[in-house]
Amino acid sequence: MAGKADTARKTKKAGKEAKEPKVKTKEKTIKRPAHLQITKLASVAGSLPTAGLTTPIVEATISTQPTETHLPISLKVVSGGQLTTGPIVFSSDSSQFYLAKDNSVSAYNVQNGEMLQNFSVHRDSGLQRAAIKKIVAAEDHRVYTFSADHKARLWDARTGDLVCVWDIGACADFVEADPSKSGRFFCAMRRKRQRAGAQKKYVVCRVELKGEPNGVEPVHVERQELFRASNVAGLSVRADGQWVAAFAKFRVHVAFVGDANVKCHVWGMEERVSAIAFHPREPVLAVGDWRGRIVFWFCVDEHAASSEDRPIVRSTHHWHAHRVNAIAFSGDSLMLSGGEEGVLVLWQLDTETRDYLPRLGSDIVGISP
């Protein structure tokens, strides 16, 4: 009897397994360098229902181990409150991040969000005139600030001491560091003297800050005008420092600045541009627009530098339903983008696949790899 009962149970179990077959899941293999880690990716800021609620700084860590076939993502909020409306900046060793509000800069610990230091432009300059426009991290926990009073300043972020001050001659609304040389920057400045009806309101310059107090070389500024534009809403610089791009509305200015003869081309876009970023190695400029598209323009090479008559090859990547606010590259094969949906999108360019970090709670206004 026991043998018949066991046989019946086995038959019943086999029939159940036949009715409910196991679903085989296929894991997606992502070609990535081992031990790649990207931290502190998104500075998420405000279109919350009530003004002044929170502007959390979100840390996203993306890592791949040699034995993994997926892309694990861990997320935590390391600081909150109405901190800033712009992207955050990380120290060279990624142990601290900096953000500006009005005329002051705060330094925070990446691990626990603790404020480590706060330093500000002198109050006697006036709060509005000294409002900080841009922060750029330097080596050895030093920080450059560019403010509305036409000054560039170098700070020691560990002590909050002011190291040096340069007068750059105009307010730099947008600043990007030259990755190829320390102390050199690309700045979009408003022209101070304009004749009535002038359309070129901005000038994009290469600015080099030289010297330090008590140093061998005196403190001075070397400034080279590259090109002029009617308006500027953002800048991007390629990793080799030989290409710079500026955008506003439906136009993108792309300039080759690798030699004495600056060659600038103006590209008209079908949709209003909202973000740009150079690929670190490929001859590609990624252009995000208000329709949620990211268009790759293959226009950053020696041929484009010498002629704009040849047709430009383009490819389109589209996931966002609304405006793209930020684009960043990490390595050769990973692009990150964010916008009004509050979703961080990770584009695997070599496999043409996507991963998502959703429900961040607000618009993504900046991505800081």
Side-chain angles (χ1 to χ4, degrees):
M1 293 294 292
K4 291 182 179 181
D6 291 341
T7 303
R9 281 196 295 269
K10 291 179 181 179
T11 303
K12 185 177 181 180
K13 183 177 180 181
K16 186 176 180 180
E17 290 178 352
K19 293 179 182 179
E20 299 179 3
K22 294 182 179 179
V23 179
K24 295 183 179 180
T25 59
K26 183 179 180 181
E27 291 188 340
K28 178 172 55 179
T29 302
I30 300 176
K31 296 179 181 179
R32 298 289 304 283
H35 303 291
L36 174 64
Q37 187 179 54
I38 310 162
T39 59
K40 297 75 66 181
L41 290 174
S43 169
V44 182
S47 43
L48 296 176
T50 304
L53 282 179
T54 58
T55 304
I57 303 299
V58 176
E59 173 182 334
T61 302
I62 309 167
S63 61
T64 58
Q65 302 298 331
T67 58
E68 294 177 343
T69 57
H70 63 288
L71 189 66
I73 300 176
S74 62
L75 177 69
K76 67 177 180 179
V77 176
V78 297
S79 189
Q82 189 66 35
L83 299 174
T84 184
T85 57
I88 58 179
V89 177
F90 291 90
S91 60
S92 56
D93 61 359
S94 296
S95 64
Q96 299 178 8
F97 66 87
Y98 312 110
L99 52 87
K101 186 176 182 182
D102 297 328
N103 70 338
S104 65
V105 177
S106 299
Y108 291 84
N109 185 298
V110 164
Q111 297 299 323
N112 54 25
E114 177 187 0
M115 182 187 290
L116 303 175
Q117 191 61 252
N118 181 272
F119 42 95
S120 63
V121 179
H122 296 299
R123 296 284 178 177
D124 56 10
S125 298
L127 183 63
Q128 185 64 32
R129 290 189 61 236
I132 293 174
K133 296 286 188 177
K134 179 69 175 183
I135 311 172
V136 179
E139 296 294 331
D140 198 25
H141 290 276
R142 288 187 168 191
V143 178
Y144 289 97
T145 61
F146 293 80
S147 51
D149 59 356
H150 306 179
K151 299 292 195 302
R153 295 173 172 86
L154 178 62
W155 306 82
D156 188 334
R158 291 168 297 191
T159 62
D161 294 335
L162 180 61
V163 178
C164 192
V165 182
W166 295 267
D167 188 341
I168 61 175
C171 176
D173 286 348
F174 301 94
V175 181
E176 292 294 334
D178 186 342
S180 65
K181 187 172 182 180
S182 177
R184 191 163 66 185
F185 306 88
F186 293 94
C187 306
M189 303 175 173
R190 285 185 176 270
R191 297 174 62 195
K192 292 193 296 184
R193 297 179 180 178
Q194 303 179 39
R195 66 180 186 273
Q199 295 182 347
K200 303 293 185 180
K201 298 179 181 179
Y202 275 86
V203 56
V204 176
C205 300
R206 181 160 44 196
V207 176
E208 191 164 356
L209 308 177
K210 293 193 171 185
E212 286 190 14
N214 304 321
V216 177
E217 187 176 12
V219 175
H220 66 286
V221 177
E222 293 184 0
R223 180 170 138 180
Q224 177 191 5
E225 180 178 325
L226 302 176
F227 60 89
R228 296 181 181 183
S230 58
N231 201 358
V232 174
L235 286 177
S236 181
V237 180
R238 199 182 178 196
D240 56 10
Q242 295 190 353
W243 290 85
V244 59
F247 77 91
K249 297 182 179 179
F250 295 88
R251 290 186 176 183
V252 176
H253 291 71
V254 182
F256 175 73
V257 296
D259 53 34
N261 297 321
V262 176
K263 303 174 182 66
C264 181
H265 306 303
V266 182
W267 309 104
M269 303 296 167
E270 299 173 355
E271 296 294 332
R272 186 164 183 167
V273 180
S274 55
I276 57 175
F278 281 103
H279 191 283
R281 294 179 181 85
E282 298 297 327
V284 172
L285 176 66
V287 179
D289 62 32
W290 283 48
R291 282 180 55 189
R293 302 180 308 168
I294 301 175
V295 181
F296 280 13
W297 286 67
F298 294 83
C299 60
V300 188
D301 57 23
E302 57 183 5
H303 301 293
S306 59
S307 174
E308 60 181 13
D309 296 332
R310 70 184 184 93
I312 302 299
V313 179
R314 294 181 293 177
S315 65
T316 302
H317 303 265
H318 197 178
W319 179 87
H320 296 278
H322 303 286
R323 181 177 65 186
V324 178
N325 288 336
I327 305 171
F329 287 93
S330 179
D332 294 338
S333 60
L334 180 64
M335 179 178 69
L336 305 106
S337 63
E340 297 180 359
E341 304 89 353
V343 178
L344 183 66
V345 184
L346 300 94
W347 305 78
Q348 297 291 333
L349 302 178
D350 53 352
T351 59
E352 297 184 353
T353 57
R354 296 187 297 264
D355 291 282
Y356 308 93
L357 190 59
R359 297 185 293 276
L360 293 179
S362 185
D363 298 4
I364 296 177
V365 299
I367 301 175
S368 302

